[in-house]
Amino acid sequence: TPAGKVPQVSSQLVWADRFGSYKARWGIGRMHYTLEPGLYALGNPNVKSPVLVTANYKMSFDRLRSALPKRDVWILVLDTKGINVWCAAAGGLFTAHQVISILRTSGISDKVDHRGLILPQLSATGVERKLVEERAGWHIVFGLVYAHRAWTDWIRRPMMERGETWKRVTERELAKKDVPQDTMVSAIVSQFFMGKEIEREEAQLNAMWEDNE
């Protein structure tokens, strides 16, 4: 890639990928259907390209990349011992600590000029967003559940811009209600309005997708 030596992958699945997926579904070599953890380049990403995170269960990785045809993105693959995102998050294998570790060891910080990450929504149960932001300085956005629905629209806007949008919405609503920001009530109200903003954005993205079908 233009950013250096990084394994480069395509959004196009080949016969071996599909055959491996079929075998895994039937339980044949399921626990060995994995991918080496680390940084991957989908297409030809540059310093402005989004950074996505997924598990090293190869079917999860393949589903993600195949949902992003003609896109240039960075993909960070966590070592989840071959477990899919949802189960890994529930089992303590897809956590803030894993995210922080790969951010520090993959070299991604030297390849982009932003600090925005897109994580699968199903990883939210295992990843403490605040911890990643405090210890690694990266802002986390949880994407949509189904990659094939709206991932392509979701990544069009800069991640930091989205993060700032949510922050502004939260601060605006808190100001209206005159709630001290250092209280538990503040945290609850903040999460509520952030959630509402996310719901509105997801609805808009899905509508955009359907208009193009």
Side-chain angles (χ1 to χ4, degrees):
T1 71
K5 293 184 178 180
V6 177
Q8 197 166 18
V9 297
S10 168
S11 62
Q12 185 68 43
L13 301 183
V14 298
W15 181 86
D17 297 320
R18 300 184 186 284
F19 183 60
S21 177
Y22 292 144
K23 289 197 302 180
R25 288 183 180 279
W26 285 96
I28 303 173
R30 164 64 186 84
M31 297 311 297
H32 300 289
Y33 197 52
T34 62
L35 187 73
E36 188 69 23
L39 177 63
Y40 292 82
L42 175 62
N44 293 287
N46 55 39
V47 295
K48 301 292 184 183
S49 298
V51 181
L52 281 61
V53 184
T54 190
N56 78 322
Y57 176 37
K58 192 171 181 301
M59 197 182 300
S60 296
F61 179 79
D62 287 348
R63 284 296 182 87
L64 175 59
R65 65 187 176 100
S66 65
L68 297 169
K70 300 180 181 179
R71 301 297 178 190
D72 301 315
V73 302
W74 299 103
I75 302 178
L76 285 171
V77 177
L78 301 187
D79 183 6
T80 59
K81 312 302 181 186
I83 305 299
N84 66 62
V85 171
W86 195 4
C87 295
L93 294 172
F94 199 124
T95 68
H97 296 290
Q98 272 82 5
V99 174
I100 293 169
S101 177
I102 201 164
L103 286 172
R104 291 174 175 173
T105 60
S106 65
I108 184 62
S109 296
D110 298 326
K111 301 192 184 307
V112 295
D113 62 5
H114 63 85
R115 291 298 180 264
L117 285 177
I118 306 178
L119 269 66
Q121 190 176 118
L122 294 180
S123 71
T125 56
V127 178
E128 186 179 351
R129 176 163 48 190
K130 185 178 180 180
L131 188 61
V132 176
E133 294 177 352
E134 290 178 348
R135 296 190 180 181
W138 285 71
H139 175 77
I140 288 179
V141 171
F142 290 105
L144 304 182
V145 175
Y146 297 106
H148 71 279
R149 289 295 298 164
W151 269 102
T152 51
D153 289 313
W154 183 269
I155 67 174
R156 286 178 182 172
R157 290 170 56 190
M159 294 303 99
M160 298 308 291
E161 178 184 330
R162 295 178 63 84
E164 290 171 1
T165 298
W166 293 353
K167 183 179 180 181
R168 286 197 297 270
V169 169
T170 302
E171 291 175 346
R172 182 174 66 247
E173 296 300 336
L174 287 174
K176 287 180 181 178
K177 297 181 178 299
D178 194 25
V179 181
Q181 295 206 20
D182 59 349
T183 65
M184 181 60 73
V185 175
S186 170
I188 295 172
V189 174
S190 173
Q191 289 297 318
F192 172 79
F193 285 107
M194 287 178 73
K196 290 297 182 182
E197 178 71 2
I198 294 170
E199 288 176 5
R200 285 194 291 269
E201 289 195 356
E202 288 190 2
Q204 292 171 357
L205 290 171
N206 282 326
M208 290 169 59
W209 182 276
E210 290 169 357
D211 288 343
N212 292 326
E213 289 181 337

